[in-house]
Amino acid sequence: ETGAVLNKTALQVFLKPNGLPADQAVEFSFNSFNDLNCTEPNFLPHVEALQAKGSQFFNYTLDFRSKFIVNTSLEQSSEVPCDSNTIRISFKVSQDIPKSCLTNEAVTIRGLKFSQTPTLLSSDLSGSSVASETGILMADTLEWNPADGSMVLSLSKDIPKNQENDLIFILTNPAIESFPGDHVDFSFTYKDSVTVTEHVSSVALKTVRATASVKLLPPKWDVPCSTA
């Protein structure tokens, strides 16, 4: 049996086992409610064991964060180099994400590299995520970086769970075929510097190589050759 003493001020629990047998796994569990308002920084609890005779002190950090899933997808209207390409990125989360928990209260989309679109304005954005009443992103906060193909958008409200969100915009495709290994990421960063990243697409601004063939035809004369 194990006794426990809770120190609410220090957020500590002291376990007092009645002896620990050798070569036997010891397991304990606890429940904790997340701070939905993020008034306190996210924390990582530590497990510590006092040094006993013949043993060593250890300190172990637990991975303590709500597990959730981010579902994303990408659609594009054209794979022709240099063509105008309508991009639609959709995303949905399995748990509510308070914007106050996130660094700069924003989300980031990266990987739209080699686009020939030097400037992207807030008026170029559409979709449910930037809709005036139901949208969770503020279009007028758009920061577009054509060098690395990234955009940052501030949140207007918390990200609700299981809500389908989409963001639509138009980019000019690269003049060359897509490079292998490029991909689009959707991400956000918690205030404790933990970044959640979801791959949206394995290929950024997918374009195909144009092919052409030339066939040489024999000459055709419409008039007889002169005999002079």
Side-chain angles (χ1 to χ4, degrees):
E1 294 183 359
T2 301
V5 178
L6 172 63
N7 184 333
K8 294 183 178 180
T9 303
L11 293 178
Q12 293 177 333
V13 177
F14 295 92
L15 301 179
K16 298 181 177 181
N18 185 20
L20 294 174
D23 301 321
Q24 180 175 321
V26 178
E27 180 179 327
F28 65 92
S29 63
F30 59 91
N31 294 324
S32 175
F33 290 96
N34 289 334
D35 180 8
L36 296 181
N37 295 319
C38 291
T39 55
E40 298 292 337
N42 293 314
F43 64 94
L44 297 174
H46 300 272
V47 178
E48 299 179 356
L50 296 178
Q51 184 173 352
K53 188 176 297 185
S55 66
Q56 292 182 344
F57 173 86
F58 71 87
N59 185 318
Y60 181 71
T61 300
L62 299 176
D63 181 11
F64 189 79
R65 183 176 297 282
S66 296
K67 301 299 182 183
F68 57 87
I69 300 173
V70 182
N71 293 317
T72 59
S73 64
L74 181 145
E75 299 175 7
Q76 64 177 58
S77 64
S78 174
E79 297 182 357
V80 178
C82 302
D83 198 12
S84 179
N85 190 356
T86 300
I87 308 293
R88 181 176 183 264
I89 295 178
S90 303
F91 61 94
K92 179 175 66 173
V93 297
S94 62
Q95 298 292 336
D96 293 332
I97 302 178
K99 70 171 186 174
S100 59
C101 293
L102 305 182
T103 300
N104 299 328
E105 300 184 357
V107 299
T108 302
I109 297 172
R110 293 184 175 89
L112 298 165
K113 295 186 295 184
F114 310 114
S115 159
Q116 299 189 75
T117 304
T119 303
L120 193 64
L121 304 176
S122 60
S123 57
D124 298 326
L125 304 179
S126 61
S128 63
S129 65
V130 291
S132 58
E133 296 182 359
T134 60
I136 62 173
L137 301 176
M138 294 185 288
D140 57 0
T141 65
L142 170 66
E143 297 179 16
W144 166 246
N145 185 344
D148 61 3
S150 66
M151 60 173 64
V152 180
L153 285 161
S154 297
L155 289 163
S156 61
K157 60 184 69 174
D158 299 343
I159 305 179
K161 65 179 180 181
N162 299 327
Q163 174 178 298
E164 294 282 356
N165 304 281
D166 65 351
L167 181 65
I168 302 171
F169 49 94
I170 298 176
L171 298 177
T172 301
N173 277 340
I176 54 178
E177 187 178 11
S178 301
F179 289 100
D182 294 334
H183 55 263
V184 180
D185 290 337
F186 175 90
S187 66
F188 47 85
T189 302
Y190 281 93
K191 289 182 177 178
D192 60 0
S193 300
V194 175
T195 299
V196 177
T197 300
E198 178 67 21
H199 293 308
V200 181
S201 173
S202 59
V203 178
L205 293 179
K206 181 180 180 182
T207 53
V208 295
R209 180 177 300 174
T211 59
S213 61
V214 178
K215 185 178 181 180
L216 182 63
L217 299 176
K220 180 179 180 181
W221 302 98
D222 295 326
V223 295
C225 294
S226 173
T227 56

